[in-house]
Amino acid sequence: VLLINMAVAITDTSHRAVEGADYRYNRSRYLDDAAGKFWDSCEDYITTTVVPWKENATLDPKRQYIFACHPHGIHCTPLGQFHCKGTPFDKRFPGICDNKLSGLAASIVFKLPGVREFFLLLNYIDASRAVVEDALEAHRSLFICTGSGEESLLTKRGEDILVLSRRRGFIRMALMYGCDIVPIFGIGNSDLFATYSWGMDFRMWM
């Protein structure tokens, strides 16, 4: 079974398909139901509150956005606000989470059996430039943790470390396609898990 899963993960290209890259959750399917319960439990354990930039802030659901989340932390918890309807973000800014919205994840994520299925169940697609351009041309909005794995490795409790100087691709994409960039800052996200600095040079090289 593991070999079959590995073969599927290596050869399947579902993560590069933009059409229909929405929340694919279906309670009638056993695996979907189990994954949904796991995600619900995570949301219950790590509660989040959405605080907009001003009290009467609005986001037009008809516009196209790139939601840039910082910092990554061990797990980029703020991204969970965009996975489906009913989140605090969806309640505060209705009409966006169910309107052609996809997340971006590193290509390696879709090569890991189990992990791949979890991300595909949610509304994630490959973060490669070609796929991003396809998504934006299809008038999809995107959410991404711009610091990626590098920012995750640099996570320290009590300190928010951002990797931005070498991560400007999302800005170029927004300028090319006329998208609005909405920065999202997850306060406290770096404090959720304990981290260690041993072997950092090797881990960064990997």
Side-chain angles (χ1 to χ4, degrees), residues 38-48 77 80-81 83 86-88:
F38 170 76
W39 185 250
D40 290 343
S41 66
C42 290
E43 287 289 289
D44 292 338
Y45 186 74
I46 305 175
T47 57
T48 55
T77 307
Q81 295 296 312
H83 287 162
T87 65

Side-chain angles (χ1 to χ4, degrees), residues 58-108:
T58 60
L59 290 173
D60 185 352
K62 296 180 180 179
R63 290 189 62 83
Q64 192 175 17
Y65 301 97
I66 294 180
F67 297 95
C69 299
H70 322 273
H72 191 293
I74 298 302
H75 174 67
C76 195
T77 307
L79 293 183
Q81 295 296 312
F82 306 97
H83 287 162
C84 60
K85 294 185 64 177
T87 65
F89 176 85
D90 178 59
K91 294 175 181 177
R92 182 61 182 77
F93 300 102
I96 292 178
C97 288
D98 59 342
N99 185 24
K100 298 181 72 175
L101 176 66
S102 297
L104 300 178
S107 302
I108 187 61

Side-chain angles (χ1 to χ4, degrees), residues 115-166:
V115 176
R116 171 184 174 278
E117 281 68 29
F118 182 77
F119 274 80
L120 286 176
L121 172 66
L122 302 172
N123 46 345
Y124 282 92
I125 54 178
D126 192 281
S128 63
R129 177 165 182 162
V131 177
V132 171
E133 289 181 342
D134 287 345
L136 294 176
E137 287 174 4
H139 303 290
R140 302 192 73 84
S141 290
L142 302 172
F143 59 92
I144 180 176
C145 189
T146 58
S148 191
E150 182 180 358
E151 195 171 272
S152 178
L153 286 172
L154 294 173
T155 297
K156 294 180 182 179
R157 271 187 168 174
E159 186 176 353
D160 291 319
I161 300 175
L162 306 186
V163 177
L164 283 174
S165 61
R166 299 183 302 278

Side-chain angles (χ1 to χ4, degrees), residues 178-190:
C179 303
D180 295 331
I181 296 178
V182 181
I184 308 292
F185 200 92
I187 298 174
N189 192 47
S190 298

